[in-house]
Amino acid sequence: MKKISYLVSGRGSNFKAIAESIKSGFISAENGVVISNVDGVKAFDTARSLGIPYFFVNPKSYSSKEEYEAEICSILRSHSTDLICAAGYMRIISTYLINEFRNRIMNIHPALLPSFPGLHAQKQAIDYGVKIAGCTVHFVDEGTDTGPVILQSAVDVSDDDTEESLSAKILREEHKVYPLAVKYFCEDRIIIHDRKISIRQN
Ligand code: GRF
């Protein structure tokens, strides 16, 4: 059975959606460990209540990004991690960790990539005036939100949507597609050809 670990920086609602999908049996996997670069985050409360180990790894305690990620890597490996889910993790994942877990790090981005990568994606969508927005689950590569797309889900943008209301609409979709992408991973149904992904039918 595969083990899923999480990189977070705050609220952790996507982590919660995946971890609960594992607990409920929707995803056939085990929860590994939660790691945050910020101490005392809400995700830790969730981890505690679900009985999942959690660690604060302070980037400031390391002299380089590589040393910091080496520590993260050693925690992930000591919990036999097969897949890392970045969920609101507010640090760039660098080559060190990507090479250690190539095509085994997922992220969720609150936009229909390749539109609106980077920060404040929902505000970017509102400011641009798009009529359809959404979210994307992708594998992490060396670029910012550029890795192969696994799943996307769209929502309509209404004339009266604000950054907050659009974010809430998109988040509801995030909580559906992220667990689904993890489920496909755990069932070995994700097929990667260069940067294109297809999902094998059962
Ligand atoms: C989500 O909107 C996600 O798409 C983005 O950061 C937010 C994290 O929310 N990457 P949460 O911490 O999972 O609640």
Side-chain angles (χ1 to χ4, degrees), residues 67-82:
E67 274 182 39
Y68 163 71
E69 287 198 345
E71 174 61 15
I72 288 181
C73 202
S74 117
I75 298 172
L76 291 166
R77 292 217 183 279
S78 71
H79 287 81
S80 312
T81 299
D82 294 293

Side-chain angles (χ1 to χ4, degrees), residues 13 15 33 38 48 83 95 105 123-124 129 151 161-162 169 179:
S13 68
F15 145 60
V33 65
V38 179
R48 202 176 304 118
L83 174 71
T95 315
I105 309 175
K123 180 170 188 308
Q124 292 185 56
L151 290 177
D161 262 325
T162 60
K169 267 190 213 173

Side-chain angles (χ1 to χ4, degrees), residues 95-112:
T95 315
Y96 180 87
L97 199 55
I98 293 169
N99 282 336
E100 293 286 326
F101 285 87
R102 176 71 58 184
N103 289 334
R104 292 193 296 133
I105 309 175
M106 286 184 190
N107 182 44
I108 186 143
H109 183 71
L112 293 173

Side-chain angles (χ1 to χ4, degrees), residues 10-15 87-89 107-110 122 171 174-175:
R11 182 176 59 183
S13 68
N14 280 287
F15 145 60
Y89 181 60
N107 182 44
I108 186 143
H109 183 71
Q122 303 94 330
L171 194 63
E174 294 183 34
H175 294 165

